Each structure stands twice: as C-alpha cells, then as structure tokens.
Amino acid sequence: MYFVDTLELKGLGNRSYLAGGPRSAVAIDPPRDVDQVIAAAARRGVRIAYVAETHLHNDYVTGGLELARITGARYLVPAAAQVAFARTPVADGDTVTVDEGLVLRAIATPGHTPHHTSYALEDAGRAVSVFTGGSLLIGTVGRPDLVEPRLTEQLARAQHASAHRLADQLDDTVPVLPTHGFGSFCSSAQAEGTATTIGRERRTNEALILDADAFVAQLLAGLDDIPAYYVHMGPTNAAGPAPLDLTPPEPADAAQIAERLAAGEWVVDLRNRIAFAEGHVAGSLNFDGEGQLATYLAWLMPWGKPVTLLAETPEQIAAAQRELARVGIDRPAAAATGTPADWVPEGQAPASFRRVVFADLAAAVARGESPVILDVRRDAERAQGHIEGSTHIPVHQLHRRLGEVPDGTVWVHCAGGLRAGIAASLLDAAGRQVVAVDDGLTSAADAGLLARS
C-alpha cells in the first residue's frame, strides 16, 4: 500500500507532496515552512526518510535542507545543481527505496532548468505517480526562461524532449503531480483543471502534440513577465536557506507607524481592498493577505526594504509572515493589529478613496469628463483588448513609473480588482487622486469600453 498527500501552497500557486508507505515517506519540493510537512507525516504515522528536490526553485525558498536536518532524512538534489551544502546527488535512473516495495526513480527532465529531475514513484515495480516539478504540468510545461536568456531556446527544446520522455516511459494511467502550474509564474501557462494523467497530457498538452519547432515557437511567444524577486530565489536555494523564524514581529503603535512611513519604509495593510479604500493610514500600501500576497509584495517591494504589517488580527499577521517567509521576506520590522483608527496619530483621520465599477467609468466618459484611465494588467493581457485612450503600466512596474501617469484623477483598473487595489494604494500613497475600478473586465466589455489591440 502507498499514499500520496498533496500540500497546497495557494498563495504562491504551487504544490508539494508527501508520498510513502506504512512506515516511511519522501517529501517532494517542500516549502520553507516545513512544520506542515512534518504534521502531514505525523498524521500518517510515518517517518520522513527522504526529501527530494526536482530543481533549484526560482519562485520560492525551499524548506528541503531544513526538513532533512530536522528529520535526519537523506536530501536528494539533482547532481548537476550547483549547491553549497552536503546532499545526496541524484542522476538519471537512480533509485531509492522509500518503503518496502516502494521505490522512487529519478528521470532527467531538463527544460525548466538544465538539471531538472522528475521522480516516478513505483509500487512493486509499477509506476503509480510521477512528480514532475516544473517539467510536464497540467496542460502546459514549466517556463524555460528563468535561468539564463541565452539558454532559453535550448531549454525550450529540452522541455519538449523531456515531456516526450515522460510520456514514452510511463503508462497512460499514471497521475502527473507537478509542483508548478496553479498560479506560479514558473509555469508557462496556468493549469487546466486540478488533476491529470500521462494519458490526458498525451491527448491535450501541446508539448506532446506539436513538433519541436512549432512547440518552441509557441512557447517562446507566450512567455510572460518574470517577478523581480525570482532573481534572489535561485542563489538563496543554492546557498542553503537559513532556518525559518516565525516569532511574532515587534508591535508598532501609531507614532511608530508614522515614523516608519517618514523613513521611507513600506507599511503594508493586509486587509481586503474594500476595507482599505474605505479607510487606511495615509502612505500605507494595500496587499490583500488573501490575494497572492507573497508574489505581488515581493515583486513590487525593493528587495531588503523593511516592511511593517497591518491587519485586523494577530492570526492574519502570522499567516502573512509565514507566506512572506516562503519568498525570503523573513522578518517584518514591526506589526500592528486593529483598525485604521488605531494606526493613525491622535487627531488625524484615516485616508480613503472611491471604488467604482466599469459602468461608472463608462458614464464618466459619456459625460465628457475625459478621465485618466490606467490599465495595470500585464502586456499579454493588454494585447487581448484595452480601453481606448487608456495609459498602460503593469502593476509591478508602477512604483518605478509613477511619473508617467498623466495629471488628473486616475481611474485604475485590472482584470478583476485585486491589482487595481494595489495600484490605487500606490497612487494614493504618492499623493494622487485615485478611483479604483473594482470590477471584472467582462463588465468593461458590457459597458462598451473595450477596444481590440
């Protein structure tokens, strides 16, 4: 008998896995906060005998080294990965016995990185799952452009070959269990569904349908922006991440929050965008704790800048601290809980700005108000259609390009409202008059605002 447990990392759009038998298990691509992996093993009543990495990750800090240290597990890392710590190097075809009759077999699948390795879990000699990391994903593959620009096309071709290698070696019924594809920018596209098999991918994945030239051309044409913090993840993982410290941050009162803002530090309000628009500390920035916090905050914030967190409850601070640690933002400078009334100096009122829907924007245009419309979607989204006359600055570039936003009240939109909320807070903090369009883009089409690019 064997089991495979999936550990969802929804904020980062990734999955980790714990797989094993009655007595022992292997953890695949574990997150920085390894306590949840240890808890999963405890629920199963198994010992973690192995920790396996499919590759040096570009989108999060691994917990593999620390998990191996805590549990005494052997740490399996692809042999070609250049790392500064002791590990068990893994090459194509290597096997380890996870439990009686349960074997983990390494399959070299370069493409996402040059050293990328997938792992087939075999029960009594038959493959029962394959952990594909950033190789073969659900309906797509991991992107090949995160290592070195000069290697991108070569790695794209390797992705095609690796996908075919997995399909050739494994039966159609074998479940494909990737790490990326659920929101992570390490994926060249997002997953189509939540589960798949080799057979389904053989029928639907263009890496297995198109010839190499057509696949590579299509893959390269569809590559999206790379989050800025990715440049720090690979070196951190290669050096060996430090143990995680999740002790609560120092508390901050209203005066200290004001001092930190005056010093140019980032004060991040974790409440949802509706609450933030209604009232917030002037100069603070809004990154919803439930809305890909780590991805967007790490992408926008200058690396290493002190950050103070504001939230309604200590539990929300703790959850944000855990998620941020997964991308190397380890120790918030301070934190405060409560409401905006608790966070502003005595005698001052919280700041606010308007929230509207696309119908309101259409009405303003019809009245001849000539509003400044700011589109903060990514380039690939903009190419699918835009509002005539709008200015386009992707949200992850906005903090460096505020001077390019035309004068006047700014009506800012994205595709659903989350990124517009972030952008509105950046503009508000910079002293601009702002209106957040908190609406889905289909409503813009319904309001007659969209033009084809």
Side-chain angles (χ1 to χ4, degrees):
M1 295 294 294
Y2 69 92
F3 70 88
V4 177
D5 290 341
T6 300
L7 305 177
E8 294 275 2
L9 302 173
K10 292 184 178 178
L12 290 176
N14 287 325
R15 290 176 174 177
S16 295
Y17 301 93
L18 183 73
R23 290 170 296 278
S24 56
V26 56
I28 309 287
D29 289 345
R32 180 88 179 279
D33 46 328
V34 299
D35 54 335
Q36 61 180 311
V37 186
I38 294 170
R43 288 192 295 270
R44 286 285 185 177
V46 297
R47 175 179 66 93
I48 298 176
Y50 297 94
V51 177
E53 303 282 9
T54 58
H55 61 294
L56 291 183
H57 302 284
N58 289 293
D59 63 332
Y60 70 92
V61 178
T62 181
L65 184 63
E66 180 68 0
L67 182 59
R69 184 190 68 80
I70 291 172
T71 62
R74 286 175 60 189
Y75 191 22
L76 310 180
V77 178
Q82 300 298 309
V83 297
F85 49 83
R87 81 330 188 163
T88 299
V90 177
D92 184 48
D94 286 351
T95 61
V96 295
T97 299
V98 177
D99 206 330
E100 184 176 355
L102 195 64
V103 170
L104 194 71
R105 176 168 60 90
I107 304 172
T109 49
H112 186 48
T113 66
H115 59 264
H116 192 283
T117 301
S118 299
Y119 298 94
L121 185 67
E122 300 175 344
D123 182 30
R126 179 179 63 89
V128 292
S129 293
V130 60
F131 303 99
T132 56
S135 183
L136 186 65
L137 310 184
I138 301 179
T140 184
V141 295
R143 58 193 297 173
D145 60 329
L146 303 180
V147 177
E148 158 61 55
R150 291 171 295 183
L151 295 179
T152 296
E153 182 173 349
Q154 175 184 331
L155 290 176
R157 292 187 178 279
Q159 277 290 50
H160 186 267
S162 291
H164 280 265
R165 187 170 195 228
L166 289 169
D168 290 344
Q169 288 194 18
L170 301 169
D171 293 340
D172 280 357
T173 57
V174 174
V176 174
L177 303 175
T179 300
H180 303 315
F182 310 97
S184 168
F185 282 83
C186 272
S187 175
S188 60
Q190 294 314 306
E192 300 173 359
T194 59
T196 192
T197 63
I198 288 291
R200 180 187 171 193
E201 294 309 303
R202 197 191 305 277
R203 295 188 302 272
T204 62
N205 195 310
E206 290 181 344
L208 296 171
I209 296 172
L210 301 177
D211 64 43
D213 289 341
F215 168 76
V216 168
Q218 180 170 291
L219 179 61
L220 298 184
L223 293 174
D224 211 333
D225 298 325
I226 300 173
Y229 74 92
Y230 276 26
V231 71
H232 302 285
M233 298 297 96
T236 297
N237 288 325
L244 183 59
D245 179 4
L246 290 177
T247 55
E250 291 294 321
D253 59 21
Q256 291 168 325
I257 292 169
E259 289 171 3
R260 292 188 178 281
L261 283 168
E265 298 182 11
W266 276 35
V267 174
V268 172
D269 190 326
L270 300 168
R271 296 174 303 144
N272 67 61
R273 59 187 182 268
I274 299 172
F276 184 87
E278 291 175 348
H280 57 270
V281 178
S284 65
L285 304 174
N286 182 216
F287 290 82
D288 188 338
E290 299 295 326
Q292 287 190 281
L293 168 67
T295 296
Y296 282 106
L297 180 56
W299 197 342
L300 273 69
M301 189 176 75
W303 193 252
K305 182 175 280 289
V307 59
T308 293
L309 302 178
L310 309 179
E312 293 168 335
T313 68
E315 291 76 17
Q316 291 167 338
I317 295 289
Q321 185 178 355
R322 177 180 289 267
E323 185 170 347
L324 293 176
R326 292 172 181 163
V327 295
I329 303 176
D330 279 6
R331 296 296 305 154
T337 57
T339 68
D342 303 312
W343 304 331
V344 298
E346 188 174 353
Q348 293 186 18
S352 64
F353 53 77
R354 290 173 58 202
R355 287 175 52 254
V356 300
V357 295
F358 278 113
D360 298 313
L361 175 56
V365 172
R367 290 193 298 267
E369 295 181 10
S370 301
V372 175
I373 303 171
L374 178 63
D375 179 350
V376 296
R377 296 173 300 154
R378 295 188 300 277
D379 291 344
E381 296 172 281
R382 173 84 173 183
Q384 301 303 311
H386 67 279
I387 296 175
E388 192 70 39
S390 60
T391 298
H392 178 228
I393 304 176
V395 67
H396 59 274
Q397 299 175 11
L398 182 59
H399 61 298
R400 301 190 305 271
R401 299 175 58 188
L402 287 168
E404 299 177 31
V405 181
D407 293 337
T409 299
V410 184
W411 297 57
V412 58
H413 81 87
C414 59
L418 176 69
R419 289 170 292 173
I422 296 171
S425 74
L426 287 165
L427 290 159
D428 180 73
R432 297 297 301 270
Q433 292 294 314
V434 64
V435 178
V437 182
D438 192 354
D439 202 359
L441 203 63
T442 54
S443 297
D446 293 341
L449 289 170
L450 283 189
R452 302 301 300 176
S453 294

